[in-house]
Structures are given as structure tokens and as C-alpha cells.
């Protein structure tokens, strides 16, 4: 059963396809495939939802597997189905918002000349404007042309597409699609010692005069055992060709290693012992007990500005990580992430991953991979971080939960709070909403008992709240100005 990428909402349903024998041992739900779809059998991308052993007649076959392993787990397939039903989007719209951009494919369209060309092909292209020029361009490019190269030669896009459809319909050209990841893995070439150190040092001693660079490379690797090609060449003065020659002789082995790109995080703080006031301690203990329950549900931490809510959930996150679980911390805007990253990275180091839209595609893809592998167990980010593939989820926290930025303005128009509720219910995790000015619906749910309510009434360290004076602008004498005499006087005093 496959969800098709091009299906509109009215026809968005699972479609049955036959799994070819060569794919039967490899294909799993959560993998993407290419299938023929519709009367014209146009190649379309699809997501495998389920495998059915029931024999059915007259099915089209899957043409190609695009993933070697599933990109969506069963839990995320269920989440995509929830998004589809809740927000009236297609299944593939839901999949697109869950997966990072680096996992999506860029399509490379190539046109190939028919082999052999029919003798009357020149008469056939004469009937269609521009078709002859397109055929001439493909011939000039050696019988194979990428669509991007043809677009550079022909400025009229609609006329070019019409000519290409005509030529492929007449089977004078064949269209071939290749799918490339929008973000490739960053790799680095590593050099390892393959021979016994004694043998390598003996060879280095013989070559010290005739091939000093080879000797220097071997002596370095006998000391460190393994290093990247750039560093080995830098410290010895050797060229990559010298290193490759030693690999050909069997003394070294070359390996390709994937390097994860990390966004720069400025850490100026140092780990600190968190001291809680009596009020904070009571809220923390209540939340910790709730998080340890089988079905923790949702809690609202309601505290005035400066009451120390951050310290409470910092300790709560520490407990979650100590229990071997993962946590998501969502903030309403990117501007708030640097100060939180500084604080949490100082406390938890490399366990922290950051996910937001200002990251480069490659950085965001690699952070997503760190979270998926379990290397990072605390995710800090904006709205879309609610889809982070955290392992063994124990806590999702929405800071300033009333903010409108938690609502997506493009399809699917989801609310991060609702998605977090669904994920927490599925994983047995606690959803913690925090705010000094909670939304009406969250506060009502807390007062009626659907959420647990934890309140912080005083500012930390007995700091005083600022005095607020409401001024009736109708009584002011400044006419149309938005700054009245009272505000002007207080600004001058300040």
C-alpha cells in the first residue's frame, strides 16, 4: 500500500502495487519508491505505508526503491496519518513537513535519442515547431541532454516543454529521471595503517633517503594509527598521491568517513548547580512525579515573568536525560534559541541538538541524523522541531505556549501543541506548557483538571515586579500623539 506524492486530497488514499521478487526481502514500510501512476503511467514518488501478503490480480509493479532503509518509523507513519485527518492535507504533505529538506530528492531529467532513429524522423519533427531545433541540440550534445542544458538554449519554456512532449510521444526521445538527495553527506578521506607497525617502520627506514615523504607518512601513522588525509599531508608535507602510492603497496588503507556538520554554538556559560526556591522546588517535584507516571498527560507551569520557570524545567530535563530518555524544548522564535543554547549546551554538552529554519540544509540534515541515531537527546528548536525523531521520548516542553508562531501558516496548518500532545500520548511522555500569560484554552484546561497546574507567584530572589499605570489617552492633552505627557515625563526621568 503506497501513498502517492502527486495525489490531491480528494484522491489521496493508499494505492495497491505489486512488489517485484527482487525487492521482497528489502522493502519495508516507511521507504520511498517510484511507481507508475494513472492512465499515462507517469513515474511518481510514493511512500510505502504497509505490506500485504494477499494476492491481487492486475496490479502495476513498483519500479524502483529510493531508500535503502526506512526514513519514517511506524510511529511517524501514524503521526502523518494523524496530520492528514486533523488538518485536511494529503499524506505526502504530512510526510514533507516531518522529514528534513536534506532527505528530499532533486529530480534530474535527461533526454536520450532513440536507438535506432527511424529513417523518417526529420519529416516527423518538421510537423512540430521547435522540435527540429531540439533534436539538433540533443544530437550536438552527443545524443544525451539534460533538461537544464536545453533550457539554457531555448528561452521559451512552454514551447520547449511542448516540443519535448511531442518528441517523447513519437518515441524519438526517451526521458530518464534520476533522483539526487538535496543534501549529500559530507565525507572525509581517512588514512589507516594496514601493515604491522614493525614492517611499516622497516620500509620507512629503507626509504628515508630515496623517498623521505613516504617515510614521514609511515612514521606518523605508526605513532597515531589513523588520521584524515588533509592532516597527514599537512604534517608531513606529502601529497595525496604519495599516500595513495603507499596504499597501493599495502602499507596503508584509505577509508571514507561521514562527517556531521554542526552549527556554531557560542558557549560562554559554565555548568552550574541549580538552586531552587521553596516555590520552585514544589513545582519541580510535582512535575517530576507526573513525568514518572505511566501516562503523564499535560501540565501547565504558570509563573510571572522572572519567577524562575527556566530553572524548574532545566532540572526536569536533567532528570529526563538521566533516565535515558530524550526531551524536546520548543521556543516560539529563532531569536530565543541562542541564549537557551548557551545555557543548555553548558549543562549538557554534545547531547544538545538544534533544529530551526535558519540552519543550512546540510547542518539541519546532520543534526536530524544525530537525533535519529540517539547521539543527541535534547532538541532545542522552533515549531518544526516537534517532529524531531527523538529516541525514547520522555518530555516535550513548549516555552511561551500562547505564541501564535506555534501555528503553521502553510499546509499542513498544524499547531505544534496538538502535534506534541499526539506524540506524548503515543510515547508515554509528559507535555509541559510554560508561560507567564498562558492561552485562554490552556488555562481553562488547567483550571478544569484536564491539565495539571503548577504556579509560581513570586519573582526569583524576591525581586519586585515593575509598577504598571494604565493611562486613559482620552484624558491626555497631546492630541493625536501616541506619547502622552505621563509617558513623556517618565521617559525623561529614566
Amino acid at each position: 500500500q503506497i501513498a502517492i506524492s502527486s495525489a490531491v486530497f480528494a484522491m489521496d488514499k493508499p494505492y495497491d502495487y505489486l512488489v517485484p521478487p527482487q525487492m521482497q526481502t528489502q522493502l519495508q514500510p516507511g521507504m520511498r519508491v517510484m511507481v507508475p501512476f494513472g492512465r499515462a503511467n507517469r513515474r511518481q514518488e510514493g511512500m510505502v505505508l504497509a505490506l500485504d501478503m494477499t494476492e491481487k490480480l492486475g496490479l502495476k509493479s513498483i519500479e524502483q526503491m529510493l531508500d535503502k532503509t526506512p526514513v519514517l518509523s511506524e510511529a511517524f507513519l501514524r503521526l502523518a496519518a494523524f496530520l492528514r485527518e486533523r488538518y485536511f492535507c494529503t499524506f505526502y504533505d504530512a510526510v514533507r513537513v516531518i522529514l528534513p529538506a536534506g532527505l528530499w530528492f532533486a529530480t534530474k531529467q535527461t533526454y536520450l535519442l532513440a536507438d535506432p532513429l527511424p529513417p523518417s524522423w526529420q519529416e516527423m519533427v518538421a510537423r512540430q515547431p521547435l522540435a527540429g531545433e531540439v533534436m539538433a541540440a540533443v544530437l550536438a550534445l552527443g545524443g544525451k541532454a539534460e533538461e537544464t542544458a536545453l533550457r539554457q538554449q531555448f528561452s521559451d519554456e512552454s514551447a520547449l516543454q511542448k516540443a519535448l512532449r511531442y518528441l517523447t510521444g513519437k518515441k524519438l526521445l526517451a526521458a530518464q529521471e534520476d533522483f539526487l538527495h538535496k543534501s549529500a553527506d559530507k565525507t572525509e578521506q581517512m588514512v589507516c595503517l594496514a601493515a604491522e607497525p614493525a614492517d611499516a617502520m622497516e620500509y620507512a627506514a629503507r626509504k628515508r633517503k630515496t623517498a623521505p615523504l613516504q617515510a614521514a607518512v609511515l612514521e606518523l601513522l605508526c605513532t597515531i594509527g589513523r588520521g584524515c588525509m588533509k592532516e597527514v599531508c599537512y604534517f608531513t608535507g606529502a601529497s595525496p598521491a604519495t599516500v595513495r602510492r603507499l596504499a597501493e603497496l599495502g602499507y596503508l588503507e584509505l577509508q571514507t568517513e561521514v562527517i556531521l556538520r554542526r552549527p556554531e554554538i557560542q558557549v560562554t556559560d559554565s555548568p552550574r548547580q541549580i538552586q531552587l526556591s521553596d516555590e520552585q522546588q514544589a513545582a519541580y517535584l510535582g512535575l517530576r512525579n507526573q513525568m514518572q507516571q505511566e501516562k503523564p498527560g499535560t501540565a501547565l507551569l504558570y509563573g510571572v515573568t522572572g519567577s524562575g520557570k527556566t530553572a524548574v524545567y532545566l532540572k526536569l530535563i536533567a532528570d529526563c536525560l538521566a533516565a535515558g530518555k530524550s526531551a524536546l524544548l520548543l521556543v516560539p522564535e529563532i531569536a530565543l534559541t541562542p541564549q537557551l543554547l548557551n545555557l543548555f549546551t553548558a549543562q549538557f554538552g554534545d547531547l544538545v541538538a538544534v533544529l530551526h529554519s535558519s540552519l543550512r540544509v546540510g547542518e539541519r540534515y546532520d543534526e536530524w541524523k544525530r537525533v535519529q541515531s540517539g547521539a543527541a537527546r535534547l532538541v532545542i528548536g522552533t515549531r518544526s522541531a516537534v517532529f524531531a525523531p527523538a529516541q525514547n521520548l520522555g518530555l516535550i516542553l513548549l516555552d511561551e505556549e500562547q505564541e501564535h508562531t506555534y501555528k503553521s501558516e502553510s499546509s499542513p496548518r498544524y499547531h505544534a501543541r496538538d502535534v506534541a500532545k499526539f506524540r506524548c500520548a503515543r510515547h508515554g511522555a509528559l507535555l509541559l506548557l510554560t508561560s507567564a500569560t498562558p492561552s485562554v484554552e490552556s488555562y481553562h484546561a488547567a483550571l478544569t483538571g484536564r491539565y495539571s497546574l503548577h504556579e509560581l507567584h513570586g519573582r526569583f530572589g524576591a525581586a519586585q515586579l515593575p509598577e504598571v499605570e494604565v493611562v486613559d489617552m482620552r484624558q491626555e492633552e497631546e492630541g493625536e500623539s501616541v506619547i502622552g505627557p505621563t509617558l513623556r515625563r517618565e521617559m525623561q526621568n529614566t
Side-chain angles (χ1 to χ4, degrees), residues 86-364:
R86 171 89 176 186
Y87 299 109
F88 300 99
C89 63
T90 67
F91 192 89
Y92 237 78
D93 285 338
V95 170
R96 285 191 182 96
V97 78
I98 291 172
L99 293 178
L103 266 178
W104 291 101
F105 297 103
T107 306
K108 187 174 80 171
Q109 192 91 358
T110 307
Y111 290 93
L112 307 163
L113 281 177
D115 187 23
L117 278 171
S120 59
W121 72 269
Q122 290 176 319
E123 297 175 14
M124 295 165 68
V125 298
R127 302 169 194 164
Q128 170 66 34
L130 201 66
E133 294 178 42
V134 172
M135 285 292 285
V138 176
L139 283 164
L141 291 168
K144 181 179 180 180
E146 291 184 15
E147 189 173 16
T148 51
L150 294 174
R151 282 178 178 166
Q152 291 174 358
Q153 293 191 38
F154 302 96
S155 56
D156 191 337
E157 175 71 19
S158 59
L160 173 62
Q161 292 300 325
K162 189 175 181 180
L164 288 171
R165 284 196 297 272
Y166 176 81
L167 292 169
T168 52
K170 294 295 183 183
K171 295 190 172 12
L172 297 176
L173 290 180
Q176 175 183 301
E177 278 184 328
D178 294 312
F179 295 88
L180 309 170
H181 274 297
K182 288 185 176 179
S183 178
D185 289 332
K186 183 180 179 181
T187 58
E188 192 169 60
Q189 195 164 41
M190 305 297 292
V191 184
C192 308
L193 192 65
E196 289 294 326
D199 296 338
M201 288 302 292
E202 182 185 345
Y203 180 82
R206 293 202 312 267
K207 291 289 184 176
R208 196 164 283 126
K209 290 185 179 179
T210 56
L213 293 179
Q214 287 189 10
V217 170
L218 286 175
E219 287 169 358
L220 176 64
L221 286 167
C222 283
T223 305
I224 64 174
R226 186 172 185 264
C228 72
M229 174 76 84
K230 287 180 182 178
E231 291 179 350
V232 169
C233 292
Y234 175 79
F235 285 111
T236 61
S239 67
T242 301
V243 178
R244 284 193 287 269
R245 174 60 183 158
L246 288 169
E248 291 171 4
L249 293 171
Y251 290 100
L252 302 180
E253 182 183 353
L254 302 181
Q255 300 173 347
T256 301
E257 188 173 280
V258 175
I259 305 297
L260 294 177
R261 291 153 286 201
R262 297 289 308 278
E264 287 187 18
I265 300 173
Q266 298 293 332
V267 181
T268 56
D269 287 355
S270 55
R272 58 190 181 193
Q273 191 70 28
I274 302 166
Q275 299 293 331
L276 300 182
S277 66
D278 292 343
E279 197 175 40
Q280 287 174 312
Q281 184 73 9
Y284 158 67
L285 291 175
L287 289 166
R288 188 186 66 178
N289 292 337
Q290 187 173 348
M291 186 172 66
Q292 293 171 348
Q293 294 173 11
E294 186 178 349
K295 295 181 179 180
T298 304
L300 174 64
L301 180 59
Y302 174 33
V304 297
T305 305
S307 58
K309 296 186 293 295
T310 303
V312 172
Y313 63 68
L314 186 64
K315 288 207 69 171
L316 204 63
I317 289 171
D319 288 346
C320 181
L321 298 180
K325 296 184 177 182
S326 298
L328 308 183
L329 170 56
L330 272 59
V331 293
E333 54 183 287
I334 296 168
L336 294 176
T337 53
Q339 57 190 16
L340 283 173
L341 277 173
N342 181 24
L343 173 63
F344 282 90
T345 305
Q347 292 291 123
F348 305 115
D350 286 339
L351 286 178
V352 177
V354 56
L355 292 174
H356 57 70
S357 57
S358 289
L359 298 179
R360 296 188 187 95
V361 171
E363 288 176 342
R364 187 165 183 168

